[in-house]
Amino acid sequence: MLVAVAILFLARDVVATWEMGDPDDQMRLLQVRDWVAGQSWWDITQYRMNAPDGGDMHWSRLVDVPLALVIVAATPFLGQATAEQLAATAVPLMTLAAAMFFYALGARRLFGPLTATVATALILTLTSFVVQMVPMRIDHHGWQLVCFLAALWALFNRQGSLRSAAVLDLSCALWIEISVEGLPFVALILGVSGLGWIVPSMASSRERNNQFPIALLWTWIGTFTLFCITESWGSPNFCDALSPVHIAALGAMATIIMAGTLLQRAGPAIGTTFLRFGICCAASTVGLATLFAMAPQCAGDAFSSLDHLVREYWFNRNPEGLPLWAGPLDVAVQAYAYMVSGVIALAYLSLHNKQLTKSDKLRLLLLYAGAWAIGVFVSRTSVYATSVANLLLAAMVVDIFISSERRRSLLARIGMRVFALLLAMPILSAQALINRVNAVEARADPVSDMLNHKFQKQLMACQKSSAVAALS
């Protein structure tokens, strides 16, 4: 509650002037507005562009639901304009609350309540995390973070309960439905979960062995159900949105894995680690073959069909969709700072932390490495890896603080704690480096620096209420 009040106070001018996060947030509001005004649930065409046919947004209706509920409930009392303003303010804060809730649960499950408190406090210093869930930021990226953190909590359930498998499935299914951009992360999470099925010694309990097949099966059922609710089976296959081809590929994989699970009961030989690994390889091969057979365009560049001008002046120049090394300096430096700090924290915890099992350590290593392997190629997805890095850093800080109490020397205790705090907030050192580089560049080319500031000012002016009003 205090966090929401603080953010709302800091964002009061943004709310008052209708300063939306970016054009996607503006378009999301227009999509909700059209739906509330009577446009069909299954029709997500935006008729304000590409007239007279309109443009197919293929955005998930699920993200529209909380916004529409607030607007419909508040309009009779506040009027539609104020109700929309309320929805664009309250829903992102509710999303942030959900994200922090699952983040705290995951941290507590792995490292205990003290680390959960520290990690949840530190995550608020992570700009790329918080900025997705501030007032007027109503696009789907915040909900993707909620799905990731819920899946992370379920993944590290040491009791192997069916409830965790259900949470893992629901999180993955919702994530893919909201944005198929989450598909590589879903594959990563389910793959890490699959370790307990492939190698029984990696499981914390006998029940853990069943989490992966159940989660994969329910993920397929969940995506199928959500697609039926929100989409039409007559829609074409899109590479960048949940489509029949993705459901077919998931179904093929789930069928093979479930068949392998049932065969384990036939005899000891069928339950060997090598055979289960082979079944997983076969499932992956069949899934990819199904995907490429039904949608061969997805085998290469998913955006190859874009108009040349659109690709050149929008797609190739959209910073959040570029690799870290090709995007803005500040985003790359902050991400790399967290990457390195997270590696140090993971190494420290692997050597000194007694709460983590060997299975937990291997899962964290694979999850962290996989998240960064994906994040470096699409800069906006690096937030998932930095969220994990923040968790590792918080656990390391707590461990060092506790260890420092055993030091007799006051200077040693202070030194250990200062070192831990500096390492736990890599954003400080990253920002210092960014400021230094910017200052050098500004002195080298003051005219270009002035033009850049002028362009940024004009760009922000486009986010004002007049930009939305013109499209109403």
Side-chain angles (χ1 to χ4, degrees), residues 104 107-120 355 398:
R108 178 170 180 158
R109 175 167 283 176
L110 277 169
F111 300 107
L114 181 57
T115 298
T117 302
V118 174
T120 307
Q355 294 172 287
V398 171

Side-chain angles (χ1 to χ4, degrees), residues 337-360:
Y338 271 94
M339 179 193 294
V340 174
S341 300
V343 169
I344 295 173
L346 182 58
Y348 176 90
L349 294 171
S350 298
L351 294 174
H352 300 287
N353 188 275
K354 305 301 182 184
Q355 294 172 287
L356 295 176
T357 65
K358 290 183 179 180
S359 173
D360 291 335

Side-chain angles (χ1 to χ4, degrees), residues 24-67:
D24 283 352
D25 298 300
Q26 296 174 347
M27 189 60 70
R28 175 69 66 180
L29 178 59
L30 296 176
Q31 180 169 296
V32 175
R33 183 183 293 172
D34 292 342
W35 178 37
V36 171
Q39 188 167 330
S40 171
W41 165 269
W42 289 278
D43 182 11
I44 51 177
T45 304
Q46 187 47 250
Y47 293 100
R48 290 176 175 82
M49 60 186 188
N50 194 33
D53 299 324
D56 186 0
M57 298 305 297
H58 56 264
W59 281 357
S60 174
R61 274 290 190 207
L62 296 180
V63 180
D64 298 344
V65 172
L67 294 164

